[in-house]
Amino acid sequence: MHPVPCRVRSVVRELDDTFTLDLEPPSDDWSFVPGQFTMLYAFGVGEVPISISGDPGDPTRLVQTIRAVGPVSDALTSVVAGDVVGVRGPFGTAWPMEFAEGRDLLIMTGGIGLAPLRPAILHTLEHRDRYGNVTLLYGARSPEDLLFADQLQQWRGRFDLEVLITVDHADRMWRGPVGVVTSLINRASFDPESAVALVCGPEIMMRFTIQELERSGMTEDRLYVSMERNMKCGIGLCGHCQLGKFFVCKDGPVLSCAAMTGACWTREV
Amino acid sequence: MSEPLVIDREGVDALIEALIDRGYEVVGPTVRGQTILYDTITSTGDLPVGLRDRQEAGTYRLEERGDDALFGYVVGPQSFKKYLTPPGTVFWKGLRTEDGFETVEAAAPPRYAFFGARPCEVAAMRIQDDVYLPVADGVYTERRERSFTVAVNCTEPAATCFCASLGTGPAVSVGYDIALTEVLSGEHHFFLAEAGTDIGEEVLSDLSARPAHDEEVVGARRLVVHASDHMGRTLDTDGLKELLSANLTNSIWDEIGSRCLTCTNCTMVCPTCFCSTVEDRQALDGSSAERVRTWDSCFTLDFSYIHGGPVRSSPGARYRQWITHKLSTWHDQFGSSGCVGCGRCITWCPVGIDITKEAAAVRERDIRRVAVGIPSVREVLE
């Protein structure tokens, strides 16, 4: 339950309100798996759950991407190199990277949902030969709101990765598609009989994405989502993150749609 | 364990003293503001002697019994979670240093003896054990492992009691160090004392107690069985877990929500509700900071708030979350019901919403049955 002081190596401003912190990990033998999060603590201000957005193959760096939406995330995004923040974790479940081996991989995300999926993408690229077709479908509000834009450009240049990006609205400089992320599904090449989908975004986006993917022939045991709920403890004690029978902090955030029964998608559950 | 012993009121006083001598802070029922509240006690004189509690949905009154019973009442609004997870506990404290900050180690908590714990209270502590002990939260575990429990079997349930439906009372079966049964009839006023653990037996051996006669044991047991047959309420637990998880979209939640004030009383008085939140404080000069754990409730809007708004904004959804967690998903999470049948949520609800009645109402309007046109039991009888 005790936050461990971790020094900030650098801060990168990704978007107007979104920052990536590069931290020294809490200990030498620290590691995480793609999909996990930590509780980040701003001294005296408070603690919030933040997904890890760095490379799981590089345990010397703890990289976290934060959008400033409240007092704690404001405090965490106004740190500078050399400052210290508190870290507890990593907590939570992982994207099914092993289960997806030998299969096509569909990664669908919207907005800041790209951050918790970046470790999965980096892992996939590091072990590219283990996976079939890999497609990243990403939706943002506008071209200016594209997270990790430089990296997206880089990924788009690869021959072993398909990157499709759509925005809600754009000016005429934008040559890509405009519309919701689900409209990209029919442009992706994947085998619906065996592919695995990793989905992270606003709940409403995930709900419609799952519906579309099921319509395309995918089954719920191969659909994975990362859920967001209020979290105070990260260890299944405070009760805030309950989603039906799940404590999202320890049974999630990554959940298989096969485990997420209809109850979990019921309004206001 | 050992043979049942018999002690009188002086024996109970000696028991309290023996616990104090062993370094325990003895906490048990006392009267304050015409309500039975848990507080530190040093003798039987601190107990609500000769009082009875009249409880009904939204009603609580103390009245004179006209006798000297030490335990002639059931449970008040508080449970021992008041001591095991005290609201406002500083569970982390840090000092700012040149290198950032450092953790200040916390002092050891008191050793509590929970005195006069009803079987539902003991059951509630065991349920909270399943929540807290596996994660060693640094607050509950330390207090619980050092505690001592003197349970008291129930012989006169309140109108709001339904522990017999949950199998948590009126007799305590596990989780106690010493169990007392008060027998008060005519000339006789004694307490059957039984040890549940080695340390309980050791404490009892310090008292001048005599072995109980068979008829005394049988008489005491009979009072508890009588209590079991006279529960004020019942909760039909048959298929209850599945019933609630299948009825999330039942329109009944909106109707209950229109009565519910979302005041959080039911969650505050519930002996198993464990949800908490954290408040962060720091010294004015920023030199130190504390993280304070307080009780929270699934009935507040803030509870489910994520950026953009609360997940559960309607009162009906919040009531549904509470009762479904208590009676259904608790089984998935911890392998038992989250309800012990103490009836506190019924008594202390300002509008008298009754968990047993609402569960029965959902059963009556089960959407699985209604969908295929099967009549309910009540409809057949009518």
Side-chain angles (χ1 to χ4, degrees), chain A residues 29-218:
Chain A
D29 57 354
W30 197 87
S31 68
F32 76 100
V33 284
Q36 287 191 303
F37 66 96
T38 69
M39 297 299 294
L40 282 190
Y41 174 61
F43 190 78
V45 184
E47 204 180 48
V48 284
I50 301 289
S51 45
I52 304 170
S53 61
D55 183 357
D58 180 4
T60 64
R61 318 188 92 76
L62 168 56
V63 178
Q64 309 218 246
T65 302
I66 307 166
R67 187 149 67 110
V69 292
V72 183
S73 49
D74 277 344
L76 287 170
T77 50
S78 32
V79 296
V80 295
D83 283 356
V84 164
V85 299
V87 177
R88 289 194 299 125
F91 298 120
T93 52
W95 295 110
M97 302 318 296
E98 271 179 40
F99 171 68
E101 287 179 6
R103 301 163 185 267
D104 291 345
L105 192 56
L106 201 57
I107 298 170
M108 294 192 61
T109 168
I112 196 164
L114 183 56
L117 273 165
R118 189 163 71 164
I121 298 168
L122 294 171
H123 175 89
T124 308
L125 296 177
E126 179 68 27
H127 307 281
R128 185 62 192 86
D129 54 327
R130 296 182 192 170
Y131 302 92
N133 286 344
V134 181
T135 313
L136 168 64
L137 307 181
Y138 179 43
R141 254 175 290 173
S142 74
E144 293 73 42
D145 292 309
L146 292 174
L147 188 63
F148 311 138
D150 292 347
Q151 201 158 26
L152 285 171
Q153 293 269 21
Q154 223 178 63
W155 289 341
R156 257 161 58 112
R158 292 179 69 124
F159 294 112
D160 58 358
L161 173 69
E162 192 174 5
V163 178
L164 299 170
I165 298 171
T166 183
V167 294
D168 294 340
H169 48 81
D171 61 21
R172 49 197 192 139
M173 293 301 289
W174 176 252
R175 309 307 297 168
V178 173
V180 292
V181 72
T182 46
S183 66
L184 298 175
I185 293 176
N186 57 14
R187 299 185 185 208
S189 40
F190 61 98
D191 175 11
E193 299 291 319
S194 65
V196 169
L198 316 181
V199 184
C200 182
E203 199 162 319
I204 189 79
M205 166 264 179
M206 292 198 284
R207 189 180 303 203
F208 282 103
T209 300
I210 296 304
Q211 274 177 16
E212 281 300 313
L213 290 175
E214 285 184 333
R215 208 166 288 156
S216 77
M218 290 190 66

Side-chain angles (χ1 to χ4, degrees), chain B residues 5 7 25 35 39 117 155 166 181-182 190 226 236 252 272 276 279 333 344 357 379 382:
Chain B
L5 303 173
I7 55 175
E25 179 176 345
T35 310
D39 207 340
T155 55
L166 278 310
T181 310
E182 182 170 32
F190 66 89
H226 178 264
D236 182 358
I252 198 167
T272 67
S276 62
E279 286 171 9
Q333 296 170 347
R344 286 184 177 93
K357 282 193 184 143
E379 281 161 352
E382 282 169 356

Side-chain angles (χ1 to χ4, degrees), chain A residues 1-7 41-47 67 69 84-88 203 228-232 235-247 250-251 262-264 266-269, chain B residues 91-92 94-96 99-101 103 105 131-132 135 137 248-249 274-278 280-282 286-289 291 293 296 302-307 311-314 317 320-321 325 329 332-334:
Chain A
M1 293 293 280
H2 293 180
V4 178
C6 293
R7 195 162 298 281
Y41 174 61
F43 190 78
V45 184
E47 204 180 48
R67 187 149 67 110
V69 292
V84 164
V85 299
V87 177
R88 289 194 299 125
E203 199 162 319
E228 185 189 7
R229 281 294 180 271
N230 186 325
M231 291 179 195
K232 296 288 183 197
I235 52 176
L237 259 192
C238 76
H240 285 76
C241 67
Q242 286 179 87
L243 170 68
K245 65 179 180 183
F246 297 118
F247 289 104
K250 68 181 175 87
D251 303 321
C264 296
T266 304
R267 206 177 139 80
E268 292 192 78
V269 163
Chain B
F91 74 90
W92 182 80
L95 291 179
R96 201 183 278 285
D99 288 334
F101 61 85
T103 296
E105 291 305 324
V131 176
Y132 286 104
V135 291
D137 70 320
L248 297 177
T249 55
F274 59 84
C275 288
S276 62
T277 191
V278 173
D280 288 273
R281 301 172 185 165
Q282 67 173 314
S287 62
S288 68
R291 312 209 70 214
R293 191 162 81 184
D296 205 354
D302 205 36
F303 185 81
S304 64
Y305 183 89
I306 47 178
H307 175 59
V311 173
R312 295 178 208 103
S313 51
S314 72
R320 177 184 68 188
Q321 165 64 23
H325 184 214
T329 52
D332 296 306
Q333 296 170 347
F334 304 108

Side-chain angles (χ1 to χ4, degrees), chain B residues 6 24 102 134 139 154 207 271 315 340 350:
Chain B
V6 164
Y24 289 104
E102 65 183 23
V139 177
C154 285
L207 313 179
V340 295

